[in-house]
């Protein structure tokens, strides 16, 4: 008797096909999610005791059983079989086998959908906390980098062509600032995730007086999703919101990676990178490639693909639960894994590159100063458009300026002489979940 | 002399091709954006006066000229030609033609990228305000609908099959609650948009002491994007964040639309819909199709496609502005138009449907009460899993319950007897931009 | 010495991070691809012998070693470790360990990219053959279904509302015809895949006279990708072409699945479905849900997401290999697995559903005949538009017609009385992979 | 009486909203499609005459009227109003107004869906012919370019780092070969488009003996979509197949564009590009940016977004027409316009760039020859892996080789000394639609 609700009928070839096809990798993914299911199940059991479905002794037994499962899991000794289909069944089965009738009571007032919803939100919340923390930490590294090399000149590009003078500090600071913006989106996703769906049952509530608010509080949720049906609607949709936030963040991490690929190439050669972050070639003995940066770009594309899947997967379904929503687990989990890996790698990269100042200065050629030259003429009374044309007609007379003086001379907020890093540092401090 | 910075060279066939290909529909899109460019240009001019680039008389002239353009625009008499490429050039050219040298001064300390960035953020912010307001209003309509039909029974579906009893009130309330969640995401997108990029120039700042904070305050921004280069990084990325928020909202609106398509079909026949929201067929005289709902579904798919475009368009570009980013205007504007249309149509739909109570009650058949029956047995002391099996083995003994009594009997938060609409109403009140 | 080309340097923490991050699941995916790498390596070795790099004895040793690896693999005894990074290294290492110096020769004139390219094309080709075959077989099942129930009436829907009379035969036949169209797209993808990249080395060729055409012929390829660099360009792009073809096919399979979800629901109730293709609910004892059909819809969304990932992953990369392209393996393999599963499930479904003729007839109500009634009037001399208005004004006079007579009376190609199934059968026969 | 089938009822505010929302830009898009609707309508009328619905005089009148509309259209004097909703209504209305009762007969045996299906396929086929032709022509330009600069050395990159020596000829040739591969996909899409849906009516056929095959032949189609319902299924799906083919092609065009952006930058500086293909900056007088190449990249992203929209738009719809499918027109037409623009621009670019041979040679530095050096050692008897390590340990001893000799020395098919351009030329000749 593997699936508890499938009373009696014989396993046929068709049943196997169906089971295999529908279960997919759920039984694997649920291994990662199991602690959150345990956490939720304990609270649900407490709620059942609170409303008199369980007595204190039964509750104790269930808690004991659930703790046992968690311990087995921690030692890699708890197994979810494909026949069990998912962790929820595996848990109920364990409790029933080891604790008898009380195991048959734990599913009172809930459905698997309900369980998945709660477990997945607890999981996602925990991961968002990690991601938020890693990102805050990464911002700090970028700010440190920016401070360390604040006044090292660097050519600024537009259209991949040399445009105006900037600084290594500006480059690092701009990436720090983008990452701070993403903290806002992560926060918002966190708020949306941090509501308890527990008690929605099959999406329509049940006839027991489940203490939904108390349960929510115990799990640290910021209140309940109110209407029972909302919980079902939210499945896949909230996942899409989360993955969108990760895609926003991923875009900046991939941007940084792409910059690194070019800025460490022979053609730009702006930064030295730690050899252990490079990989070799099987045919070309001279190669030191920044593969981690390239993989970061690709992982961003994976997150964007996951977002597409999620958006499409939940489209054009009538109100209520559909099994399609079960498939939202993989794109969510994979995106979370990807972004955590990218954040870790981004930290390794930003803390293991060094500007090659000599090269950077050498690339700060005369053309970078055309706009500055026009602005000089403006300061001497010419209109900007005339100054622009004047410089344009005399481009051969442009000359490299004193780089350090130029950097310092630009003093408005955000210019090279006044990046405003201290403002970013203060902003960073104020960013917290909750 | 159409583009002011293209001094002298003859127009060639190649030039025409290049101009046509790169300009695309910018000159059309900028017509919609023009008032925001004017607003920003006035503030920029004030800033130039503040730091001594312009004198008070010049500032006055520019303000006068900019107001004239706005008036012409309001009367549909201001034209941006394809040769001018965009609104920014058209404005500068107008000022120069009508006010002479002062027109040549307005571009001091800014670039077109800078202008687009500011204009596009002002535009997006204004539209987000409209969207937020429309969505709040729509939530209210759903809450009203839910209250009006709170206790009308309706079959609840899972897997598109009859599952448990719910109510029209639960259906409407769940959609209201989803829409409230989207207010959170819209708020977050708004915050990210509401920062001033003015003064970033080509992305690297300039050698004038531009009063960036003062300018930001004048335009109602909540501070500046600090580091100049951040503004360039943000182009297309912020647009993606906004369109993601719209896709989240679009998903719920399309969900509602899809429900309507089915719930007004002969097979479900749950709601009556106003005839003027239906369209006919050119070949089948009997048809009254809910085309608006179908178009809503399709428009959601358009928004999701726009999101994909935006994510891809800005990927793998090295730091600094690239013309690719100019193409982010269309997916942004189109998504905004789509969502506004969808919000308006959703309001028309929810306020012009009526439950067909008789049909709804007739579809509330015995199978809906299987879980309730099991729960009854639990209340009488059986374990849930045994109760479940007991009911499963005697499905033919299931009977329709008293629908009204059943609805009222479920009393936990979010169940049919206690939807928690008043909580949603309170939450709605607290949701405001800023 | 795990990676053969990483001579000497100590493993550091950073190296581990880099290895883990860049390798990802390659070492797992390559386990599935290994036989194709072996096949290609044998041919490459023969080529090396042909041009004198290896002698006959060395070739024999390599063949023996490669066969050993294949045997071990078949018995699940060949392992690729994460340190080895991929199957290519594992193979070279095995050969070197067991056959000494000759193992160090096999990589002459090739790079890992080259190896991946060949292996992945052999794998993809083999899978496309399976997919093509499964799809052809599935078409036959749909045609059989269509013939079996050719004249059972069924309401035809537009806008999810009853429109005109159709037949179960028409429904099945239309799906068969769509699937035949996809055979064309699969064929085209197959042709594009079926070119040998072997000999492109790092993308620029080498200074050995590699017998590329002979090698291609031995592997059954239809010629070579000519220019060495083309092979590198094609990586990820050809995968996108393949996954697009799968997405086209997936759309029709998901369409069928979605029809089934609705047509087996209580509201439509057109088909009976084998119980073993249904799954139950953990809370509602009465449920028999067609989860496999729902999972099919979701898997289609996964394929579409994979397509997005692939398109984005290879965008904006300069000519030549980049590690990003390595990440194209997963979306390809996952999409292939998904489509094969969907094809198998589609066959199980179409061969295990039966029309509920009584219900179908009962739903063929009067409104379905409005257009037919107008057409009658046309036959009696009225213009169509007048006939249309005449019927529209007298909708209450519409009556159900004799269903069987009506079906038979429509005789143009593709109408219910003349579906043209025999044409489809002939077309199916002509469809073959080269 | 604007929409002919909307007899009588008063226009209300709700009706206006509905009309505006559902019509969208159809009335604009149909202006471009009109000639194809005219062409199809003439054939449909002939078919009606053939089966006796029209007499010869009536047919003549309709042909005359349809020709008049085409003439008016050609002179920009035919207008489709938003009230008419689409071109189909506008045509029927014109015919009825100018030719009386016969105009009311033309819609016999067809629905608007049928009309859209035929018109859209005729339009798409015509555009695919243009695209195919433009692409063939472009291949020739790339082959010419490749021949012209066949032996100019160029550094080959992997991971954006210098890898091995290649040639300008190899670069151009590889792009030519990719474009040839896309001809295969375009051909396949063409075949799928080139089937007649005429006669499917509302998707279920009609009770007239429409001569579907004859009509198909007259319009140059390669047969009919057989089963009537297939035509409805195909709407949006065939569009997705076409847009996928365009996305494949777009990827290579964007790849070329991206190469140009980098290869014309100061850092690479490999090619000189015609000034008239560059645009300036509004703030930096020195700029000559290759904006057309950047726009090409962005347009590729637009096509990919359109593909996503199309895939999602038609997902999870039950069999039969839905208004969602009407929205597939825009992503199709926009993608077609984008790709045609990209093809034209690609031709302008490839014919207006010149290699800077001196720079190219200067960048062919010693590291490019590491693999060649190892291969030399192999030729002298060392195993490749040992040779590899030997070179790796003595990287400082690497020296630049004689570039011309090196290029010529690599003689296997596709290597620099034997690109196989003549094979590509022959292949190109064999590629034709049908």
């Amino acid at each position: 008797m593997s699936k508890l609700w499938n009373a009696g009928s014989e396993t046929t070839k068709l049943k196997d096909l169906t089971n295999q096809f529908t279960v997919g990798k759920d039984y694997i993914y649920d291994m990662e999610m199991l602690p959150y299911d345990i956490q939720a199940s304990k609270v649900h059991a407490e709620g059942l005791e609170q409303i008199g479905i369980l007595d204190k002794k039964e509750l104790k037994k269930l808690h004991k059983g659930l703790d046992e499962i968690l311990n087995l899991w921690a030692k890699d000794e708890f197994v979810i079989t494909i026949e069990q289909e998912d962790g929820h069944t595996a848990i109920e089965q364990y409790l029933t086998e080891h604790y008898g009738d009380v195991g048959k009571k734990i599913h009172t007032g809930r459905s698997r959908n309900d369980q998945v919803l709660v477990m997945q939100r607890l999981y996602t919340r925990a991961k968002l906390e990690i991601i938020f923390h890693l990102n805050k930490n990464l911002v700090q590294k970028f700010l440190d980098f920016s401070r360390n090399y604040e006044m090292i000149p660097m050519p600024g590009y537009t259209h991949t062509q040399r445009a105006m003078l900037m600084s290594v500090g500006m480059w690092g600071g701009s990436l720090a600032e983008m990452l701070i913006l993403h903290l806002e989106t992560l926060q918002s996703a966190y708020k949306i995730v941090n509501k308890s769906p527990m008690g929605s049952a099959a999406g329509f509530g049940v006839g027991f007086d489940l203490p939904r608010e108390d349960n929510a509080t115990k799990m640290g949720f910021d209140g309940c999703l109110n209407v029972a049906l909302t919980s079902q609607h939210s499945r896949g949709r909230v996942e899409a919101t989360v993955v969108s936030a990760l895609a926003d963040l991923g875009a900046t991490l991939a941007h940084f990676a792409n910059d690194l690929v070019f800025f460490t190439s022979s053609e730009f050669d702006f930064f030295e990178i730690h050899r252990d972050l490079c990989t070799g070639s099987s045919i070309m003995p001279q190669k030191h490639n920044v593969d981690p940066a390239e993989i970061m770009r690709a992982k961003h594309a994976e997150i964007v693909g996951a977002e597409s899947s999620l958006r499409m997967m939940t489209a054009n379904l009538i109100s209520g639960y559909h099994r399609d929503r079960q498939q939202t687990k993989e794109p969510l989990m994979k995106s979370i894994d990807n972004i955590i890996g990218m954040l870790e790698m981004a930290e390794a990269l930003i803390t293991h590159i060094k500007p090659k100042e000599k090269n950077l200065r050498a690339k700060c050629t005369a053309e970078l100063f055309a706009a500055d030259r026009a602005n000089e003429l403006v300061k001497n009374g010419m209109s900007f458009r005339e100054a622009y044309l004047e410089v344009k007609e005399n481009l051969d007379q442009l000359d490299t300026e004193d780089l350090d003086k130029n950097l310092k001379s630009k003093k408005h907020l955000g210019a090279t002489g006044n990046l405003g890093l201290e403002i970013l540092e203060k902003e960073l401090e104020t960013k917290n979940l909750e």
Side-chain angles (χ1 to χ4, degrees), chain A:
Chain A
M1 188 181 64
S2 61
K3 273 191 275 175
L4 296 180
W5 50 91
N6 250 323
S9 90
E10 263 208 324
T11 297
T12 68
K13 201 179 133 191
L14 225 46
K15 254 191 152 53
D16 281 350
L17 181 70
T18 301
N19 203 41
Q20 218 170 2
F21 186 72
T22 55
V23 172
K25 294 185 177 168
D26 260 358
Y27 71 105
I28 295 167
Y29 294 135
D30 279 6
M31 278 304 286
E32 190 173 343
M33 295 244 185
L34 203 86
Y36 304 101
D37 200 358
I38 299 284
Q39 177 189 356
S41 292
K42 289 171 78 170
V43 169
H44 177 66
E46 289 168 25
L48 292 179
E49 189 271 344
Q50 200 173 324
I51 62 169
I53 302 287
L54 299 174
D55 63 29
K56 283 218 184 312
K57 260 173 72 181
E58 288 175 320
L59 174 60
K60 221 173 153 179
K61 274 194 200 167
L62 286 174
H63 271 200
K64 191 157 168 280
L66 290 164
D67 284 337
E68 279 167 21
I69 295 171
L70 193 61
N71 284 332
L72 288 170
W73 176 86
K75 291 185 289 180
D76 253 336
E77 292 171 10
F78 188 78
V79 176
I80 307 170
T81 65
I82 192 170
E83 291 74 29
Q84 287 171 326
E85 195 172 315
D86 53 35
H88 323 304
T89 307
I91 289 172
E92 184 172 337
Q93 196 172 343
Y94 180 94
L95 294 172
T96 305
E97 276 173 12
H98 291 76
Y99 292 89
D101 277 2
V102 71
K104 299 181 181 172
K105 291 188 173 179
I106 194 167
H107 209 61
T108 317
R110 72 175 178 182
S111 75
R112 270 188 301 173
N113 300 332
D114 188 337
Q115 260 182 289
V116 178
L117 276 159
V118 181
M119 167 186 87
Q120 202 153 309
R121 282 186 178 238
L122 289 171
Y123 159 86
T124 307
R125 189 179 66 180
K127 295 295 182 179
L128 281 176
E129 280 162 7
I130 291 168
I131 290 163
F132 192 88
H133 172 80
L134 284 172
N135 193 24
K136 271 194 79 166
N137 186 47
L138 183 63
V139 173
Q140 195 54 61
K141 302 296 185 202
F142 271 98
L143 288 172
D144 294 348
F145 176 89
S146 185
R147 282 227 183 275
N148 286 342
Y149 308 116
E150 188 167 353
M151 281 299 168
I152 296 186
M154 180 172 174
Y157 293 81
T158 65
H159 306 267
T160 314
Q161 301 200 11
R162 289 185 206 151
M164 288 180 74
L165 186 68
M166 69 160 185
S167 61
V168 175
M170 177 178 276
W171 178 67
S174 69
L175 290 166
E177 191 170 13
M178 284 303 291
L179 293 172
I180 292 174
L181 290 177
H182 302 316
L183 290 172
E184 168 62 33
T185 327
L186 289 171
Q187 253 176 322
S188 165
Y190 183 87
K191 266 193 208 167
I192 283 172
V193 167
N194 199 20
K195 301 246 180 196
S196 176
M198 185 176 274
S200 62
F204 315 104
V206 284
F208 301 108
D209 287 335
L210 301 171
R212 292 192 63 209
E213 289 100 329
D214 290 354
N215 289 353
T217 305
K218 282 181 191 163
M219 292 184 284
F221 281 118
D222 184 24
C224 289
L225 281 177
N226 291 281
V227 182
L229 187 56
T230 313
S231 297
Q232 298 304 335
H233 293 345
S234 79
R235 182 114 172 258
R237 300 274 167 73
V238 162
E239 281 71 11
T241 301
V242 170
V243 173
S244 283
L246 304 187
D248 282 358
L249 172 54
T252 296
L253 298 175
H255 171 152
F256 165 56
N258 187 58
D259 272 4
L260 270 197
V261 167
F262 283 97
F263 295 167
T264 61
S265 72
S266 310
E267 273 56 36
F268 290 82
D269 206 15
F270 291 167
F271 295 109
E272 203 189 317
I273 185 163
H274 194 292
R275 273 292 158 90
D276 289 345
L277 286 163
C278 300
T279 65
S281 154
S282 72
I283 180 173
M284 295 169 289
Q286 87 280 15
K287 284 308 230 62
H288 296 287
N289 302 314
V290 195
D291 287 37
E294 295 176 297
I295 298 277
M296 280 175 72
R297 292 189 304 206
K299 279 179 182 291
H300 175 47
E302 289 179 3
I303 294 171
V304 171
E307 193 190 5
S308 287
S309 288
L310 284 167
R311 296 236 181 260
M312 186 165 166
M313 216 173 258
T314 55
N316 294 357
L317 303 175
I318 64 164
S319 277
Y321 177 71
H322 305 268
R323 185 65 177 263
D324 316 55
R325 297 185 188 276
Q326 187 75 3
Q327 298 294 100
T328 62
K329 230 183 244 177
E330 180 177 300
L332 172 71
M333 294 176 79
K334 209 168 167 314
S335 300
I336 284 172
D337 285 352
N338 271 341
I339 209 78
I340 290 176
M342 288 168 78
L343 284 162
E344 287 168 347
M345 184 49 74
E347 187 187 325
L349 289 167
I350 192 63
T351 53
H352 291 88
I353 55 169
K354 255 185 252 173
K356 294 180 165 178
E357 187 164 354
K358 213 177 117 189
N359 292 358
L360 284 158
R361 286 183 179 273
K363 297 263 176 147
C364 293
T365 46
E367 71 228 80
L368 292 180
F369 303 97
D372 289 339
R373 183 70 196 116
N375 289 341
E376 292 295 312
L377 296 175
V378 167
K379 284 176 186 167
N380 295 331
M382 208 180 272
S383 77
F384 176 73
R385 195 52 67 206
E386 274 162 4
Y388 175 98
L389 292 172
E390 169 79 19
V391 174
K392 191 179 179 73
E393 274 154 33
N394 300 286
L395 286 172
D396 51 343
Q397 290 168 33
L398 279 175
D399 212 350
T400 310
E401 295 192 10
D402 178 323
L403 302 179
D404 305 288
K405 213 173 117 188
N406 184 301
L407 287 182
K408 277 178 209 150
S409 74
K410 294 174 183 162
K411 289 196 167 315
H412 67 70
L413 174 63
T416 44
N418 176 21
L419 288 173
L421 299 179
E422 65 294 344
I423 302 178
L424 297 180
E425 272 153 0
K426 261 181 222 155
E427 225 178 299
L428 183 61
E429 267 174 46
T430 68
K431 293 282 177 190
N432 289 295
L433 289 178
E434 290 308 74

